[in-house]
Amino acid sequence: MNHVRTNDIFSTATWDSKLPNFENLKESFLDTLRLERKLNPEGVHKSNYNGYQSIDTLAVTYEQEFRPLFKHIMEVMVPEIIKDCGFFVSSGDISGCWANFNEGGYTSNEVHIHNGTLSGVFYINTPPGSGDLVFINSGMNNLWGGIFLASNIMSGGPKYVAPSNKYTAPFVHYQPQEGYIHIWNSSIPHYVNPNSADVERVSMSFNINLFNKENDR
C-alpha cells in the first residue's frame, strides 16, 4: 500500500489564554491605564500610528494593579510555553509592558517586532470593529509558484488569509477578544489593522526575557 508522510519541518506557535475573572477586573484595569495616559499624555511613538502608546514600565509602576495578569502570564502561560519549546530555563521576567489606545479608524500599528524571548498582548477593551492583530509569515517566499493555488476556505482558530492554511498562508489574522492574552516568538513580524469603526481599542503589550540554566544539560 502506498503511503505518503507529511513532515512539518518548521513550525511557528502562538499561545493564548483568557485571564480568569477578567469581567470583574476590566474596569479597574481601564481606570489604571486611563490614569497613566492622563499623567503622561505625550506617551511614546514607536509602531503606533496616531494612537497612544505609553512608556514601557507598567509592570513596575502598576505591579500591584495588574498582579493577576502578570501572575497568569508568568505562572500559567510561560511554563506551558517552556515545555512546548523545550527551553532550558532558570528564570524569566516581564522586561517591558505598555498600554495601547487605538481610537477611531485612523489609528493602527505598523509592521514591527519586539525585544526579548517572547512577546504578547492582552486585550482589555475591543468592541466590534476593533482592528485585527496580523502575523506575517516571514518564511514565505512570495515568488513561490504555489502561493495563489490554495483554497480560501476558513476554519476555526486563526483566520488564514489567502492562501488559507498553515503551509501556504503569508498572513494570519486574529480578531481581538476581551480578556484574552496572546504570546508569541518575539521575532515574528506583526501589525495591527486600523479599526473599521469609531471605537476605542485598548490593550497592553509586553515582552518576556527567559534565561538559561547555569548548569549544562
Side-chain angles (χ1 to χ4, degrees):
M1 183 175 70
N2 292 329
H3 176 72
V4 177
R5 181 174 61 188
T6 300
N7 303 294
D8 287 328
I9 60 171
F10 300 116
S11 183
T12 300
T14 68
W15 297 265
D16 62 74
S17 177
K18 186 171 184 180
L19 179 67
N21 201 34
F22 168 74
E23 287 72 19
N24 293 326
L25 296 167
K26 176 180 175 178
E27 291 307 317
S28 65
F29 285 173
L30 285 173
D31 289 344
T32 300
L33 297 185
R34 286 168 179 154
L35 174 62
E36 170 63 23
R37 185 174 184 177
K38 183 177 180 179
L39 294 173
N40 298 285
E42 293 300 317
V44 298
H45 178 76
K46 292 189 177 180
S47 67
N48 50 308
Y49 178 74
N50 285 336
Y52 173 83
Q53 181 173 320
S54 76
I55 58 176
D56 65 357
T57 58
L58 301 190
V60 176
T61 308
Y62 299 108
E63 189 277 336
Q64 193 74 24
E65 289 82 351
F66 291 106
R67 178 170 290 180
L69 170 64
F70 301 143
K71 184 179 177 69
H72 189 76
I73 290 169
M74 297 305 299
E75 296 184 11
V76 177
M77 297 186 72
V78 167
E80 287 296 315
I81 295 169
I82 290 171
K83 182 174 66 175
D84 287 348
C85 294
F87 289 151
F88 197 56
V89 174
S90 62
S91 61
D93 60 33
I94 296 177
S95 57
C97 179
W98 59 97
N100 309 290
F101 286 78
N102 285 10
E103 295 147 326
Y106 300 98
T107 54
S108 61
N109 290 76
E110 300 167 346
V111 176
H112 62 288
I113 60 173
H114 291 204
N115 297 319
T117 312
L118 303 167
S119 298
V121 64
F122 170 52
Y123 294 115
I124 304 174
N125 194 57
T126 59
S130 297
D132 287 356
L133 169 65
V134 185
F135 291 112
I136 299 173
N137 182 355
S138 57
M140 177 63 67
N141 183 338
N142 288 331
L143 298 178
W144 175 47
I147 197 167
F148 298 113
L149 301 180
S151 166
N152 291 332
I153 297 173
M154 301 300 177
S155 59
K159 185 170 76 173
Y160 295 104
V161 177
S164 67
N165 65 41
K166 66 180 181 179
Y167 301 116
T168 57
F171 306 98
V172 174
H173 285 227
Y174 277 97
Q175 184 175 353
Q177 291 182 277
E178 291 183 0
Y180 275 83
I181 306 159
H182 289 270
I183 297 179
W184 59 89
N185 169 342
S186 62
S187 70
I188 302 176
H190 57 283
Y191 61 94
V192 174
N193 278 335
N195 293 342
S196 62
D198 187 13
V199 296
E200 179 192 55
R201 180 188 194 276
V202 182
S203 65
M204 294 172 67
S205 297
F206 55 89
N207 296 323
I208 298 171
N209 280 328
L210 300 178
F211 303 99
N212 287 336
K213 290 185 177 178
E214 294 179 357
N215 55 311
D216 295 330
R217 293 174 188 248

